[in-house]
């Protein structure tokens, strides 16, 4: 049988991989998209929305943003570690990319901000799942893109002709097939689920980081590129979104978005570390969840501590920080019942005691009792003399028991480093030269955007970059042909 030949092989069928596949199909390139999982979409299935500064929706809403100011904001936020040329190219094309998504079956529900951030977040109907499975995937198939699931790219070799010999391994029977490709696009989602790589990366605290993703981001694309001479380029950026209920016995995505999770992570309650002491203005942290994640990740352990009175108030009356338009009302009607069910289920994250002294002993926080007393005094005086949290968020942890402590890790969606790319998303070697025909997109190629922290102040930028970088790489392939 003749060896199969492709213009493009794309490794990873997430949001970035499908953006590249749809663009490649549109450009008439013979394309193979491979996915190691049984199903496609990956972490892209959970994406809420994408960035743009001048989309048709923003123009209609009179909310077009100053592109120059956005560029300055991103460069300043990264302490100028980000690539200004790439950001400028991305910002300039983001609005058209939203229109392209809509033309290819994705539906945008609304444009929103996050906290006090810019109104750049174009929220999908049905999240990324529908944008992929009702839009990009059927379009790519219609244009002749071949999709193979349960298939990994396990080896890349450069042939004398300049093309790649791509080893494809069937993950069920471990059989190998070798195909040839003029170009390879890496879209494997970074390395958040690779504990060894996380431990080797600067600025990480992997014991605290809880991946909330597809579970398949194990650095496959990075390792393939490194073996071809790509630069190992780390910034230590994990897209941390702040607190996540810490329970290793439950898949993290099942705990995210619940009433318990929101009550302790979205609401600026009292957070303490392993000593039982506060470490941040919780209200400032929840406004920018990247900052929240950074603050939490500096601690060894983190707990949200609250009283039965707070639990009852949040259930029956209201909570202090409004979450509209994402929720219909400013209370958690199921919260008390959910806590009771979590206790019955023996959830690891939940601790409960009749007194603060007993709670402090259970969670091994030696200064908790004295610090809660201090916190309650500040609440009574209406002034946070430690971190200057607004008085309306100083909810005293007092009254009769029981008292609760919910342990938190730092939830994260993805990593944002590992490879260096140029403005065509070509992978660069240790001398800053492109490795001909090798491209990295999405999380695999996103180090170009960041310092060590994701910019939540301009929401949707990572998911939007998945669309931009996928299309950008394929356009470069066409231009170089």
């Amino acid at each position: 049988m003749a060896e199969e030949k492709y213009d493009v092989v794309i490794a990873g069928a997430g949001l970035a991989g499908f953006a590249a596949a749809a663009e490649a199909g549109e450009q008439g390139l013979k394309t193979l998209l491979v996915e190691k999982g049984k199903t496609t979409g990956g972490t892209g299935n959970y994406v809420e929305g994408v960035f743009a500064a001048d989309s048709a929706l923003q123009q209609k809403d009179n909310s077009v943003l100053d592109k120059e100011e956005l560029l300055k904001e991103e460069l300043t936020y990264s302490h100028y570690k980000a690539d200004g040329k790439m950001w400028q190219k991305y910002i300039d094309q983001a609005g058209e990319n939203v229109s392209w998504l809509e033309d290819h079956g994705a539906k945008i529900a609304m444009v929103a901000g996050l906290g006090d951030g810019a109104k750049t977040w174009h929220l999908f109907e049905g999240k990324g799942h529908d944008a992929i499975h009702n839009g990009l995937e059927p379009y790519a198939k219609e244009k002749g893109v071949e999709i193979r699931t349960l298939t990994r790219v396990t080896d890349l070799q450069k042939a004398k002709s300049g093309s790649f010999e791509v080893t494809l391994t069937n993950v069920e029977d471990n059989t190998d097939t070798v195909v040839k490709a003029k170009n390879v696009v890496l879209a494997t989602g970074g390395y958040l689920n690779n504990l060894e790589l996380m431990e080797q990366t600067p600025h990480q605290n992997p014991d605290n980081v809880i991946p909330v993703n597809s579970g398949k981001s194990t650095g496959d694309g990075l390792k393939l590129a490194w073996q071809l001479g790509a630069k190992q380029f780390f910034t230590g950026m994990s897209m941390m979104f702040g607190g996540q209920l810490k329970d290793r016995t439950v898949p993290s995505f099942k705990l995210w978005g619940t009433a318990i999770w929101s009550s302790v992570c979205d609401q600026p309650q009292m957070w303490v570390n392993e000593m039982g002491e506060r470490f941040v203005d919780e209200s400032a942290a929840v406004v920018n969840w990247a900052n929240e994640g950074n603050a939490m990740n500096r601690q060894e352990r983190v707990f949200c501590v609250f009283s039965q009175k707070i639990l009852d108030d949040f259930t029956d009356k209201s909570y202090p920080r409004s979450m509209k338009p994402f929720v219909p009302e400013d209370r958690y009607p199921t919260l008390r019942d959910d806590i009771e069910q979590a206790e019955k289920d023996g959830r690891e994250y939940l601790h409960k005691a009749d007194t603060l002294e007993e709670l402090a002993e259970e969670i091994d926080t030696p200064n908790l009792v004295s610090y809660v007393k201090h916190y309650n005094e500040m609440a009574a005086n209406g002034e946070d003399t430690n971190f200057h949290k607004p008085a309306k968020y100083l909810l005293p942890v007092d009254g009769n028991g029981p008292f609760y402590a919910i342990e938190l890790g730092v939830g994260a969606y993805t990593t944002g480093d590992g490879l260096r790319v140029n403005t065509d998303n070509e992978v660069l070697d240790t001398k800053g030269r492109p490795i001909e025909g090798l491209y990295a997109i999405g999380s695999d190629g996103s180090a170009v955007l960041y310092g060590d922290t994701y910019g939540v102040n301009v929401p949707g930028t990572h998911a939007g970059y998945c669309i931009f970088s996928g299309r950008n790489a394929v356009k470069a392939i066409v231009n170089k042909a």
Side-chain angles (χ1 to χ4, degrees), residues 10 105-106 136 205 305 321 357 464:
I10 304 167
L136 298 177
N205 186 355
V305 177
R321 179 177 179 248
E357 288 79 7

Side-chain angles (χ1 to χ4, degrees), residues 12-159:
L15 186 61
F18 268 114
E23 181 69 32
E26 194 164 15
Q27 297 283 354
L29 301 177
K30 185 178 180 183
T31 303
L32 172 64
L33 175 63
V34 297
E35 165 59 46
K36 68 181 179 182
K38 290 182 180 180
T39 57
T40 56
T43 303
N45 286 322
Y46 316 125
V47 164
E48 291 99 339
V50 296
F51 159 85
D54 62 346
S55 69
L57 282 171
Q58 286 168 312
Q59 292 171 18
K60 183 178 178 181
D61 198 32
N62 292 318
S63 57
V64 172
L65 300 170
D66 187 313
K67 293 182 179 181
E68 184 177 342
E69 289 302 314
L70 280 174
L71 176 61
K72 290 178 180 178
E73 172 69 20
E74 292 296 348
L75 291 177
T76 301
Y77 195 91
S78 74
H79 300 291
Y80 279 76
K81 291 183 177 180
D83 186 321
K85 291 184 296 182
M86 182 65 105
W87 262 113
Q88 185 163 337
K89 189 175 183 180
Y90 171 28
I91 291 170
D92 285 344
Q93 296 181 17
E96 190 273 329
N97 281 332
V98 170
S99 297
W100 181 85
L101 279 168
E102 292 182 299
D103 291 341
H104 291 72
K107 295 182 178 179
I108 306 296
M110 61 182 293
V111 184
L114 186 64
D116 59 357
K119 194 175 180 181
T120 60
W121 209 11
H122 292 65
L123 300 176
F124 291 126
E125 287 185 12
K127 296 191 175 180
H129 177 278
D130 285 8
I132 292 170
H133 300 293
N134 298 340
L136 298 177
E137 184 171 23
Y139 181 85
K141 288 179 178 178
E142 177 189 326
K143 291 297 182 180
V145 173
E146 181 183 347
I147 301 173
R148 299 187 197 179
T149 57
L150 294 171
T151 303
R152 295 181 63 185
V153 178
T154 53
D155 191 37
L156 284 181
Q157 297 292 332
K158 260 297 185 79

Side-chain angles (χ1 to χ4, degrees), residues 306-308 343 350-363 368 399-405:
F306 56 95
S307 64
Q308 184 66 43
E343 184 180 7
L350 178 63
H351 303 270
K352 177 181 176 182
D354 290 332
T355 67
L356 280 169
E357 288 79 7
E358 291 171 338
L359 186 66
E361 184 175 352
E362 179 173 334
I363 62 176
L368 179 65
N400 298 322
F403 296 91
Y404 302 85

Side-chain angles (χ1 to χ4, degrees), residues 16 26-27 44 112 174 227 229-230 237 358 398 424 472:
E26 194 164 15
Q27 297 283 354
N174 211 36
Q227 79 176 30
M237 201 296 281
E358 291 171 338
D398 60 7
D424 285 333
N472 189 50

Side-chain angles (χ1 to χ4, degrees), residues 333-347:
T334 68
L335 181 58
R336 186 167 46 236
D337 291 342
D338 291 352
I339 290 284
E340 290 176 2
Q341 188 61 51
E343 184 180 7
K344 290 177 184 177
D345 293 341
R347 294 274 66 91

Side-chain angles (χ1 to χ4, degrees), residues 14 18 25 41 59 138 183 186 195 255 258 268 302 341 357 360-361 364 367 391 430 455 466 480:
F18 268 114
Q59 292 171 18
N183 303 278
L186 304 172
L195 183 60
L255 301 175
T258 63
V302 176
Q341 188 61 51
E357 288 79 7
E361 184 175 352
D364 191 22
N367 298 333
T430 55
C466 289
K480 294 176 190 296

